């Protein structure tokens, strides 16, 4: 049964003509969380331009404020006046991370290194997600959990000013776990290292270096070791957040599917640890290009041009999963329109995202008349060039499921309704408005 917030907002999409125009997507969600967090741990002022102002990010900002950081919006920029490493204080009320796994998990690493008690909570989706993957290494460093043996929110964390550094090998390819351990490592006496066998997004280590932390990455047997020196000083810095490639993916997909479309999305992050979706699109034969490639704050960005065209089914290897982990729902929607089967391997992590994305995508695609199946950690979708549509989709409080099916509805034969579009505000509040600017239209409420 679909779990919905008290005020669900059904929304429908139907076949659209050509989408055309030039737009910017809002700031990258991963970089936005990290800019606020490192700004709060730094000494001095961090001025952030282009911060994503979505629910997930606002939850992180509010949590940091409750912990004593000064965060304000001034003339369109966010100004963080840091408390300095170890300078956060005990919050008076629970820290509510809403729908955000990234916010909750990264902040567990921060709280671990402060001598304070904080209750972590979130919405019904976040309360079901596994926190043990972050709490296990943090416990080994010295964090205590009041609810012994529990690993789901709400939880009371008891941090310490005497964290012990460690070397930790990631049991799952997760940038959130890596980042939580590195953030805790900032507050431990000595060097903390994380070894990852598959490369995950590297924004934490890049931004740590930019803020002046002693951080290094080196190749080791079976992967990469990322190390941080504890108890240094972070210095506040100006940060400009590039456009989110995971949000741009929905606009690119819509342009590919709607005949006659030609869309330019400016200023999109194309960091290789995030760009697997775009590589897969090229392999599927999509008309997609990175134009005007350049650097912004040490991150590669480009203008992304997507034009309508036909797609062929492909085999997406498991090794690519970390670099496109959030893009499988929209890739599965695209695969439904391709000619031939698409196999996506290595997707175990999709079961523990905002929803069980393997099960939820299969159910939604089947409801739309598409041949889709999850077997083990492989998702297969067999496209036939067109999609019947005409279904109401259970989104299970998952923003990316909602956006994926709204895009699918733009090209399906009959309208598609998502049972709740309100969760889109967690990552991409401008989604509907930007799509309408390009020529798409949506209708509130369920359609028959
Ligand atoms: C994120 C890492 C990914 C991703 C999430 C954002 C991050 O999660 O799915 O949307 O900012 O570190 P995992 O690290 O758990 O795979």
């Amino acid at each position: 049964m679909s779990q919905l917030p008290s005020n669900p907002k059904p929304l429908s999409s139907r076949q659209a003509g050509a989408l055309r125009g030039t737009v910017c997507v809002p700031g990258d969600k991963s970089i936005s969380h990290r800019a606020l967090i490192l700004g709060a741990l730094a000494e001095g002022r961090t001025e952030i331009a282009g911060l994503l102002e979505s629910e997930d990010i606002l939850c992180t900002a509010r949590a940091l404020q409750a912990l004593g950081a000064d965060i304000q919006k001034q003339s369109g920029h966010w100004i963080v006046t840091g408390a300095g490493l170890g300078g956060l204080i005990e919050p008076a009320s629970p820290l509510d991370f809403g729908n955000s796994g990234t916010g909750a998990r990264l902040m567990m690493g921060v709280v671990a290194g402060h001598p304070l008690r904080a209750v972590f909570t979130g919405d019904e989706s976040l309360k079901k997600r596994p926190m043990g993957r972050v709490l296990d290494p943090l416990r080994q460093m010295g964090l205590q959990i009041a609810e012994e043996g529990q690993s789901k929110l709400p939880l009371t964390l008891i941090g310490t000013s005497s964290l012990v550094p460690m070397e930790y090998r990631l049991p799952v390819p997760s940038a959130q776990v890596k980042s939580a351990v590195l953030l805790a490592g900032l507050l431990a006496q000595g060097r903390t290292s994380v070894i990852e066998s598959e490369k995950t997004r590297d924004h934490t280590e890049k931004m740590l270096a930019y803020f002046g932390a002693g951080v290094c990455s080196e190749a080791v047997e079976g992967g990469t070791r990322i190390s941080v020196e504890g108890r240094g000083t972070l210095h506040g810095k100006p940060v400009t957040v590039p456009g989110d490639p995971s949000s741009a993916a929905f606009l690119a997909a819509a342009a590919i599917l709607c005949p006659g479309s030609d869309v330019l999305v400016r200023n999109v992050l194309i960091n290789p640890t995030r760009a697997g979706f775009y590589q897969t699109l090229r392999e599927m034969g999509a008309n997609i290009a990175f134009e005007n490639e350049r650097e912004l704050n040490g991150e590669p960005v480009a203008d992304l041009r997507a034009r309508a065209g036909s797609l062929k089914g492909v085999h997406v290897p498991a090794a690519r999963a970390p670099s496109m982990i959030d893009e499988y729902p929209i890739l599965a929607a695209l695969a439904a329109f391709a000619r031939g089967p698409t196999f996506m391997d290595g997707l175990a992590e999709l079961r523990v995202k905002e929803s069980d994305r393997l099960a939820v995508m299969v159910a939604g695609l089947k409801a739309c008349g598409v041949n889709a199946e999850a077997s083990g950690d492989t998702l297969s979708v067999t496209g036939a060039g067109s999609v019947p549509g005409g279904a109401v989709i259970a989104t299970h409080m998952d923003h990316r499921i909602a956006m994926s099916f709204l895009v699918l509805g733009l090209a399906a034969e009959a309208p598609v309704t998502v049972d709740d579009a309100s969760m889109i505000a967690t990552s991409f509040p401008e989604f509907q408005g930007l799509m309408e600017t390009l020529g798409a239209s949506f209708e509130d409420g369920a359609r028959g």
Side-chain angles (χ1 to χ4, degrees):
M1 205 182 87
S2 176
Q3 190 108 43
L4 290 177
S6 43
N7 251 336
K9 181 187 163 212
L11 192 67
S12 303
S13 59
R14 65 186 139 81
Q15 233 173 42
L19 305 180
R20 289 177 173 270
T22 299
V23 289
C24 285
V25 280
D28 184 65
K29 182 152 72 74
S30 294
I31 293 181
S32 294
H33 281 295
R34 288 155 172 85
L36 288 171
I37 292 172
L38 292 196
L41 294 176
E43 299 201 342
R45 176 184 156 101
T46 292
E47 182 166 343
I48 310 170
L51 186 85
L52 170 65
E53 294 179 6
S54 74
E55 282 307 317
D56 280 9
I57 299 303
L58 296 178
C59 285
T60 292
R62 285 192 286 264
L64 288 165
Q65 284 168 331
L67 288 158
D70 183 2
I71 302 179
Q72 295 180 29
K73 189 171 178 187
Q74 283 172 18
S75 329
H77 288 191
W78 287 76
I79 314 293
V80 185
T81 308
L85 271 182
L88 297 176
I89 56 167
E90 183 155 306
S93 46
L95 307 177
D96 186 346
F97 291 94
N99 193 249
S100 179
T102 308
R105 295 192 178 114
L106 267 54
M107 287 301 296
M108 285 176 174
V110 170
V111 161
H114 287 81
L116 58 85
R117 217 181 154 90
V119 176
F120 278 59
T121 190
D123 70 12
E124 291 311 309
S125 157
L126 191 58
K127 282 179 186 164
K128 288 193 204 131
R129 299 182 65 188
M131 296 294 150
R133 51 180 54 202
V134 170
L135 296 174
D136 289 346
L138 295 179
R139 252 198 227 101
Q140 291 176 47
M141 294 177 80
L143 174 71
Q144 285 179 274
I145 321 292
E147 299 82 1
E148 242 172 80
Q150 301 291 311
S151 59
K152 299 260 168 83
L153 301 188
L155 289 170
T156 309
L157 273 57
I158 306 158
T160 171
S161 54
S162 49
L163 279 187
V164 181
M166 72 181 301
E167 178 167 291
Y168 188 65
R169 188 175 270 278
L170 290 183
V172 284
S174 167
Q176 295 178 359
V177 179
K178 169 175 71 177
S179 302
V181 174
L182 292 176
L183 289 169
L186 277 180
L187 292 139
Q189 177 79 57
R191 168 180 285 216
T192 295
S193 302
V194 176
I195 299 174
E196 56 181 11
S197 47
E198 294 168 71
K199 211 158 171 32
T200 66
R201 66 192 68 194
D202 57 4
H203 309 305
T204 301
E205 44 272 48
K206 276 189 154 181
M207 204 182 285
L208 278 172
Y210 178 63
F211 274 69
V215 60
C216 70
S217 293
E218 59 199 319
V220 291
E221 212 188 307
T224 308
R225 181 197 286 127
I226 305 107
S227 305
V228 68
E229 297 298 335
R231 310 266 172 98
T233 305
L234 300 184
H235 299 283
K237 287 276 189 154
V239 176
T240 301
V241 184
D244 195 324
S246 300
S247 297
F250 297 103
L251 305 187
I256 290 165
L257 292 180
C258 297
S261 298
D262 187 348
V263 167
L264 187 70
V265 189
R266 284 205 193 283
N267 215 26
V268 179
L269 176 74
I270 54 165
N271 177 320
T273 63
R274 299 285 300 282
F277 173 70
Y278 297 102
Q279 185 183 344
T280 304
L281 285 184
R282 285 192 201 97
E283 291 170 4
M284 294 176 88
N287 198 338
I288 188 118
F290 290 158
E291 298 177 354
N292 188 19
E293 288 188 35
R294 58 206 183 271
E295 255 202 26
L296 186 64
N297 285 152
E299 290 282 9
V301 297
D303 300 333
L304 168 65
R305 182 143 193 204
R307 280 173 272 196
S310 56
L311 299 173
K312 62 173 192 285
V314 291
H315 195 140
V316 190
R320 199 177 295 161
S323 68
M324 55 177 293
I325 194 67
D326 292 334
E327 280 66 78
Y328 285 99
I330 188 61
L331 180 65
L334 282 167
F337 292 91
R339 299 234 166 250
T342 291
F343 297 98
M344 297 159 251
D345 289 338
L347 303 191
E349 280 295 295
L350 286 201
R351 297 225 181 256
V352 291
K353 292 294 176 189
E354 287 83 331
S355 68
D356 174 348
R357 286 183 175 159
L358 275 184
V360 172
M361 279 311 296
V362 168
L365 287 171
K366 282 188 166 157
C368 289
V370 178
N371 182 351
E373 198 187 326
S375 159
D377 61 2
T378 294
L379 173 62
S380 54
V381 177
T382 303
S386 66
V387 169
V392 178
I393 305 299
T395 54
H396 296 267
M397 299 184 75
D398 190 328
H399 54 132
R400 297 197 207 281
I401 298 293
M403 289 186 276
S404 298
F405 279 99
L406 287 170
V407 168
L408 181 141
L410 294 175
E413 279 150 24
V416 172
T417 300
V418 298
D419 64 355
D420 180 28
S422 70
M423 299 310 285
I424 293 173
T426 63
S427 69
F428 192 3
E430 298 83 348
F431 170 77
Q432 186 176 344
L434 285 179
M435 294 289 288
E436 286 170 349
T437 306
L438 295 173
S441 61
F442 299 93
E443 227 169 87
D444 291 338
R447 288 179 59 98

